Amino acid sequence: PLSQNAAQCLAQLDRLGLHYQAVSLSPGTPSACRVEAPVEVVAASIPFNQPAVASCGLILQFDRFEREALRPLAQRYLGEDIKTILHFGAYSCRTTHAGRESEHAHGLAIDVAGFELADGRRVLVKDDWSKRDREGRFLHAVAQAACRYFNEALTPESDRDHQNHIHLDLGPY
């Protein structure tokens, strides 16, 4: 049975009209990789390039981030709406390279590689982060805005593991 918080989260996804499927992780999943209210989604308010399995709470917060920050930033810096979020994944039962527990293991993190715009252009972290043009400024603004919605935002400036994406998570830090 779902906890009250999990049921409330799923009800909020319903109210927002997000299309999701509740999923159960395999019975052999280690306790270190438990996810509260895991869902599979193909979009928050913006479609994803591939389905993502994550905690309901992460998807709820990501949707809020898209509506309140990401879309307005795309209009401001690029003059376009975002057609697709390009991500590498969310849930993954693993530790970090440093050996600590990854927030991906709880479905509380997503790695955003870039964005496809309505006009077909792509803005990619690996290609555009270091540029001083509008695409680079947009990506920096996205990372800065993410700090108001997520507990951690790791970028190419954080370490070598994040050279091609922005890691967003709801971890306890």
Side-chain angles (χ1 to χ4, degrees), residues 12 16 44-46 60-76 81-82 141-142 145-146 148-150:
Q12 183 66 17
L16 290 169
S45 61
I46 302 170
L60 197 58
Q61 190 67 356
F62 197 85
D63 178 71
R64 184 172 160 237
F65 171 63
E66 287 179 356
R67 288 183 287 106
E68 295 177 4
L70 196 52
R71 282 191 136 136
L73 288 170
Q75 285 295 328
R76 178 174 161 201
D81 197 10
I82 296 172
V142 167
R148 294 190 309 268
Y149 295 84
F150 300 94

Side-chain angles (χ1 to χ4, degrees), residues 14 19-21 25-26 31 36 40 53 57 66 112 117-118 155:
D14 290 336
H19 299 285
Y20 68 92
Q21 179 174 339
L25 303 175
S26 69
S31 61
E36 178 152 4
E40 182 178 67
V53 172
E66 287 179 356
V112 177
L117 305 178
T155 70

Side-chain angles (χ1 to χ4, degrees), residues 35 89-94 102-111 167:
V35 176
Y91 172 75
S92 177
C93 184
R94 63 179 172 84
S102 171
E103 293 308 315
H104 288 282
H106 301 291
L108 294 174
I110 188 166
D111 292 334
H167 166 97

